[in-house]
Amino acid sequence: MRALFLYCLSLSASVWAQSSAVDAYVASESPIAKAGVLANIGPSGSKSSGAKAGVVIASPSSTNPNYLFTWTRDSSLVFKALIDQYTLGLDTTLRSEIDNFVSAETAQQQVSNPSGSVSSGGLGEPKFNIDLSAFTGAWGRPQRDGPALRSTALITYANWLIANGNASYVSSTLWPVIKLDLGYVVSFWNQTGFDLWEEVSSSSFFTTAVQHRSLREGAALATALGDTAAAQYTTQAANILCFLQSYWNPNGLYMTANTGGGRSGKDANTALASIHTFDAAAGCDAVTFQPCSDKALSSLKVYVDAFRSIYTINSGVASNAAVATGRYPEDSYMGGNPWYLTTAAVAEQLYDAIIVWKRTGNIEITSISLAFFQQFSSSVTTGVYASSTTTYSDLLAAVQTFADGFLVINAKYTPSGGGLAEQYSRSNGAPLSAADLTWSYAATLTAFGARAGVVPASWGASGLTVPSSCSTNSGGGGGVGTVSITFNEFATTVFGENIYLTGSIDALQNWSPDTALLLNTDNYPTWSITLNLPASTTFQYKFIRKFNGAVTWESDPNRQFTTPASGSSVINDSWR
């Protein structure tokens, strides 16, 4: 523990300076970020010309890139932040904006679009024109997180209204909208769709996590309103919670963001899932991936470390200090850069963790989270450290410093006027891509709120357990049940050479070497990937090598495996 004490002592001066810098950034950027959000909401927002009342534009940028649309996901996350501010009494002027949002979303649900009608899958349509007409161009659709996020935002508002004597408005106006979204989740939670970055069609951890939350709080609201749908929501929430566990990569010690796409699975997706399903009443529960849980902290470390060596602006930063982060390390969009909202999300998860540690009065370190805490003390060991110990206070201070560091980075690359684009350059920190991104502003506000100790309302995550027997029956949408399968391939390689997987089923890319799935090197020379595959299914597969454009297949015969009816399996192979 002496090492941790000396570490904290040596940092005291720089920590004070950093804390002051963050304080100054919060003070200057808070009103700018709030104004930035409101400017992008129709009809009166200064940068949302043409948008109907309550419609959130993603950005006023109309060229390179054109973000002058309204996304269900972005709009719901933005208004969840505003609804939290209103219902927590932090800003009582937002009522008319929230009611406009309710009206806009009520209308948007009924707009037939390329994903379908309101009764045939249309709620999974990701984006619309800002006059609420359907966007009919090519796009990654459906995206199944939108209905869950919208229902969560509206349920938060509904619960507050009921507590303040306005249950009639909830029953007549809010509940019909919420119930449509919850019905969509019930019907489609076990079917693939495009992830929150709109690039990979597979199962997505973020989507599954927010779907689980929506049904839990939806069941509670249904019960309060006397709607018998509560039982169905509860049943499917339990099944989703079971499925949520399958994303865990036990070898790499992180949640795999997507089950497809051929990437490492290290992705801001998981940090965003943690902060948007934060429930302080659940403590450090790992089952629901709470921010201070061992799995969430381990995942966060793996995600952050993935960016330490790939961005020039992160060069020379200590291995236990904050760095700029992006969506995922393989990202190439706009050149693949840090994002304001992803870097802020890391800070927010850490602040949320601190909130809970202060509430519980202890910090627990497990074998899973040990590496996260050893960033701050190489000698720290597993155990429970009470608030009366110096280890607790020193670790709390170290994590606070670590969290503040991510906001310092965003502050460094925020222009003098305070405007927040989508990204900033990996080379020099200059703002890039869409200007005045609404989600960037909202993410900044929620990170600031978490730093100040703001705790959103509980959604019922406390005390949940994974069912001993899990079903993949959606109760309406069909779909095939899946199980988690980890492929381990022992193979030595030369620099620049990679190992891929392909096989005889859709989830294994139907023998395509071009779209074969890239395995990760976390435990090199064992290459690994964890996928959700159809249950009770026999398939064939092979590993391939790619090097300098050349593709080399393993020797015959094809490998073969039959997935179990439930649970998970690990396949250990060696190159042949």
Side-chain angles (χ1 to χ4, degrees):
M1 295 306 101
R2 175 177 170 78
L4 177 58
F5 171 77
L6 293 174
Y7 166 77
C8 292
L9 186 65
S10 67
L11 287 180
S12 58
S14 60
V15 166
W16 181 87
Q18 176 178 272
S19 179
S20 297
V22 178
D23 289 342
Y25 183 55
V26 170
S28 64
E29 188 63 24
S30 290
I32 295 171
K34 184 66 167 292
V37 168
L38 297 177
N40 288 350
I41 301 175
S44 55
S46 61
K47 296 182 180 180
S48 59
S49 177
K52 286 194 172 181
V55 169
V56 180
I57 65 169
S59 161
S61 175
S62 58
T63 57
N64 194 32
N66 182 6
Y67 281 10
L68 196 56
F69 297 95
T70 182
W71 271 262
T72 303
R73 175 193 312 108
D74 297 38
S75 301
S76 300
L77 290 172
V78 166
F79 263 96
K80 175 60 165 63
L82 296 180
I83 289 169
D84 281 346
Q85 289 197 355
Y86 179 76
T87 57
L88 295 173
L90 303 175
D91 187 341
T92 58
T93 70
L94 295 170
R95 182 68 174 267
S96 61
E97 295 283 3
I98 295 169
D99 288 339
N100 284 342
F101 172 69
V102 172
S103 297
E105 297 306 301
T106 302
Q108 183 178 300
Q109 281 186 327
Q110 301 299 321
V111 177
S112 294
N113 55 69
S115 293
S117 68
V118 66
S119 60
S120 64
L123 298 183
E125 181 69 7
K127 72 175 185 178
F128 294 79
N129 296 317
I130 62 175
D131 63 357
L132 291 183
S133 62
F135 170 75
T136 57
W139 206 253
R141 54 171 67 91
Q143 293 172 25
R144 306 194 192 280
D145 53 4
L149 293 168
R150 178 167 54 201
S151 62
T152 281
L154 296 182
I155 289 169
T156 303
Y157 188 34
N159 290 336
W160 182 87
L161 288 169
I162 291 173
N164 286 273
N166 198 353
S168 60
Y169 177 80
V170 174
S171 297
S172 64
T173 303
L174 291 183
W175 182 238
V177 178
I178 294 168
K179 192 170 182 179
L180 284 173
D181 281 339
L182 296 178
Y184 181 90
V185 174
V186 165
S187 294
F188 293 100
W189 69 264
N190 65 345
Q191 296 193 27
T192 58
F194 280 84
D195 70 336
L196 79 169
W197 307 130
E198 308 180 311
E199 296 170 343
V200 174
S201 181
S202 70
S203 295
S204 164
F205 181 74
F206 176 85
T207 300
T208 302
V210 299
Q211 286 174 332
H212 172 251
R213 171 179 177 163
S214 71
L215 291 188
R216 291 289 182 188
E217 55 193 350
L221 179 57
T223 299
L225 296 175
D227 194 309
T228 58
Q232 184 185 40
Y233 300 156
T234 300
T235 297
Q236 294 307 327
N239 291 331
I240 297 174
L241 183 62
C242 186
F243 181 53
L244 190 70
Q245 313 311 308
S246 70
Y247 290 90
W248 178 247
N249 180 337
N251 296 314
L253 296 182
Y254 64 93
M255 282 294 182
T256 304
N258 296 314
T259 59
R263 299 175 186 158
S264 63
K266 303 168 186 177
D267 195 304
N269 170 316
T270 55
L272 289 164
S274 190
I275 64 176
H276 290 300
T277 56
F278 174 45
D279 185 342
C284 296
D285 174 52
V287 168
T288 56
F289 204 63
Q290 292 303 305
C292 61
S293 67
D294 55 358
K295 289 184 176 179
L297 293 174
S298 180
S299 288
L300 191 70
K301 181 182 188 303
V302 170
Y303 161 71
V304 170
D305 286 351
F307 294 92
R308 292 192 178 278
S309 62
I310 65 174
Y311 295 158
T312 301
I313 60 174
N314 289 339
S315 297
V317 176
S319 61
N320 61 351
V323 290
T325 67
R327 300 189 300 173
Y328 49 90
E330 302 89 348
D331 194 6
S332 61
Y333 175 61
M334 292 286 178
N337 300 287
W339 286 42
Y340 290 101
L341 72 91
T342 60
T343 306
V346 178
E348 185 170 346
Q349 182 182 329
L350 295 168
Y351 293 138
D352 286 344
I354 290 169
I355 287 171
V356 174
W357 288 328
K358 287 181 177 179
R359 280 190 167 198
T360 60
N362 66 73
I363 294 175
E364 180 178 7
I365 303 176
T366 73
S367 59
I368 291 174
S369 60
L370 182 60
F372 170 83
F373 289 103
Q374 284 182 332
Q375 295 177 109
F376 315 114
S377 170
S378 59
S379 61
V380 75
T381 59
T382 59
V384 178
Y385 298 92
S387 57
S388 58
T389 65
T390 56
T391 301
Y392 169 91
S393 56
D394 288 345
L395 284 175
L396 198 72
V399 174
Q400 177 77 40
T401 299
F402 189 48
D404 280 352
F406 292 93
L407 292 188
V408 166
I409 290 168
N410 272 2
K412 179 178 181 180
Y413 299 117
T414 296
S416 58
L420 297 180
E422 180 182 68
Q423 308 171 36
Y424 46 96
S425 169
R426 64 193 292 158
S427 300
N428 58 25
L432 291 172
S433 191
D436 294 305
L437 191 78
T438 319
W439 193 358
S440 292
Y441 289 127
T444 297
L445 290 174
T446 56
F448 289 172
R451 185 175 188 263
V454 174
V455 180
S458 173
W459 56 268
S462 181
L464 298 177
T465 57
V466 179
S468 57
S469 176
C470 303
S471 171
T472 55
N473 179 12
S474 67
V480 178
T482 60
V483 290
S484 176
I485 307 296
T486 297
F487 294 83
N488 292 325
E489 169 80 341
F490 183 88
T492 57
T493 56
V494 298
F495 183 77
E497 185 178 32
N498 291 299
I499 303 296
Y500 293 77
L501 170 68
T502 188
S504 62
I505 56 177
D506 288 347
L508 297 180
Q509 307 300 308
N510 293 310
W511 294 117
S512 169
D514 296 329
T515 58
L517 307 176
L518 174 65
L519 279 66
N520 69 67
T521 57
D522 293 333
N523 295 290
Y524 181 84
T526 296
W527 296 69
S528 300
I529 189 170
T530 300
L531 303 170
N532 289 327
L533 301 182
S536 303
T537 300
T538 299
F539 62 91
Q540 295 185 336
Y541 67 99
K542 271 187 178 180
F543 298 97
I544 61 177
R545 295 173 181 262
K546 292 186 181 182
F547 182 59
N548 288 339
V551 175
T552 304
W553 292 76
E554 281 189 304
S555 301
D556 289 332
N558 295 335
R559 301 182 186 274
Q560 183 168 303
F561 185 78
T562 300
T563 57
S566 61
S568 61
S569 294
V570 176
I571 303 171
N572 294 308
D573 293 317
S574 294
W575 181 266
R576 63 187 188 198

